[in-house]
Amino acid sequence: ELREFGSNPDIDIPYKYLTYFVDDDQEIADLAVSYRKGEITSGEMKKRCIEVLQDFIGSFQERERAITDDDVKNFMNPDYPRPFACLAKK
């Protein structure tokens, strides 16, 4: 039935997530058009959403694992030199 009538990306939660996590506006537009036409099912939309979120979370976890105890100690130290003026102690 989804292939025949299509779906509404405006109310689809996985599509909404993709609009936040995919930087490519053309990909988002193509997904919306294909979803409305029934070329993409809700299962395929969910699959794409899972791929994007796993990639995002995986890269976050890699960066998190790279943080050392010294990094945390320095971050919490108000006298530690800050590379950005907005983070410098006043």
Side-chain angles (χ1 to χ4, degrees), residues 18 20-26 28:
L18 289 170
Y20 289 104
F21 289 99
V22 173
D23 293 328
D24 185 355
D25 292 340
Q26 188 60 50
I28 295 296

Side-chain angles (χ1 to χ4, degrees), residues 23-38:
D23 293 328
D24 185 355
D25 292 340
Q26 188 60 50
E27 180 182 353
I28 295 296
D30 291 345
L31 284 170
V33 169
S34 296
Y35 201 44
R36 283 187 178 98
K37 288 181 178 179

Side-chain angles (χ1 to χ4, degrees), residues 5-47:
F5 299 110
S7 294
N8 184 357
D10 299 328
I11 60 170
D12 188 74
I13 300 302
Y15 176 80
K16 292 291 186 184
Y17 273 112
L18 289 170
T19 64
Y20 289 104
F21 289 99
V22 173
D23 293 328
D24 185 355
D25 292 340
Q26 188 60 50
E27 180 182 353
I28 295 296
D30 291 345
L31 284 170
V33 169
S34 296
Y35 201 44
R36 283 187 178 98
K37 288 181 178 179
E39 295 170 356
I40 297 175
T41 65
S42 61
E44 292 166 332
M45 187 68 78
K46 289 174 189 173
K47 182 180 176 186

